[in-house]
Amino acid sequence: MSAHDISTAEVIDLGGAHDEIGMEAALDIARAGLTRGELPIGAVVVADGRIVGRAHTEEVTQRRLLVHAELLALEEADRADGWDRRRATLYTTLEPCLMCLGAAATAMVGRIVWALKSDSDGAGRLATEWSDGRSADLPHPHLPAVTGPVAEDAARDLFRAYVDARGDSCDPFVRWAATIIGEPPEPMSTPPDPASDPTPSR
């Protein structure tokens, strides 16, 4: 997918009120994923006033686990030319996991802004702890600045729609999504087979 412009008059320094604009783009991608049966997690990479990467999670579509929205959006952005990585922002509708935080650091993205907190596997706090005790003289990846929430209610509504549309407490994706919105599912009468249907990490 090619990069899609956002008006540079609306997105300039990617800070403050402009974060709502970037997050709305991520929410649009999450909505598209939801209509395809995916968890409603969307991510966009915005740099120099334009989107250089966008994706929703694709665990269902690809039947794989290493296809988080942030990872796919960063991969698309990494293939694009001519964008200022350190001034770029990754907008994601869910607090990123450790894998995606590491991928953002490797891609040298300057900021991450998330909408909905993930108590189970969110790694945002690590961004403030990563450099503690490390010598400034050592070359090591510098984690992006991580902030949130932005547009929390809209992201929560998407997760609630995902859970309400299924209502199968034996589905590990549904059970995990329910915890994200603070509604733990009812106990399962028959535990799922972990070999055939692993509980998602996000």
Side-chain angles (χ1 to χ4, degrees):
M1 185 181 296
S2 61
H4 297 268
D5 287 343
I6 290 181
S7 170
T8 54
E10 295 177 322
V11 180
I12 301 173
D13 62 358
L14 308 179
H18 302 299
D19 284 340
E20 281 74 15
I21 299 169
M23 188 59 72
E24 185 55 40
L27 287 165
D28 284 343
I29 299 298
R31 294 182 186 105
L34 181 62
T35 63
R36 296 175 180 136
E38 299 283 357
L39 285 161
I41 305 170
V44 298
V45 180
V46 178
D48 306 317
R50 60 195 179 100
I51 294 176
V52 294
R54 66 171 71 192
H56 57 69
T57 187
E58 294 192 9
E59 283 98 336
V60 174
T61 302
Q62 296 196 34
R63 299 185 64 82
R64 298 172 52 225
L65 294 178
L66 301 184
V67 285
H68 291 188
E70 301 95 326
L71 202 61
L72 296 176
L74 287 165
E75 182 178 3
E76 181 180 343
D78 193 47
R79 298 175 187 274
D81 296 324
W83 56 284
D84 187 343
R85 292 174 181 265
R86 290 299 187 192
R87 289 180 58 82
T89 300
L90 170 65
Y91 293 95
T92 173
T93 58
L94 187 69
E95 182 185 3
C97 69
L98 182 60
M99 175 180 70
C100 293
L101 179 62
T106 301
M108 298 190 294
V109 170
R111 298 175 65 228
I112 299 175
V113 179
W114 51 265
L116 191 60
K117 186 172 180 59
S118 177
D119 289 329
S120 64
D121 65 346
R125 65 180 177 82
L126 295 179
T128 61
E129 301 172 358
W130 176 253
S131 296
D132 289 352
R134 295 177 186 267
S135 170
D137 297 328
L138 290 175
H140 66 276
H142 294 276
L143 296 189
V146 180
T147 58
V150 172
E152 180 180 18
D153 290 343
R156 181 179 288 108
D157 287 345
L158 290 178
F159 267 87
R160 182 168 288 109
Y162 176 88
V163 173
D164 291 347
R166 287 155 181 80
D168 180 2
S169 62
C170 291
D171 184 329
F173 284 101
V174 176
R175 292 177 61 80
W176 176 80
T179 67
I180 294 296
I181 58 176
E183 299 177 2
E186 297 179 0
M188 296 180 293
S189 57
T190 303
D193 180 359
S196 61
D197 200 5
T199 299
S201 62
R202 59 157 316 146

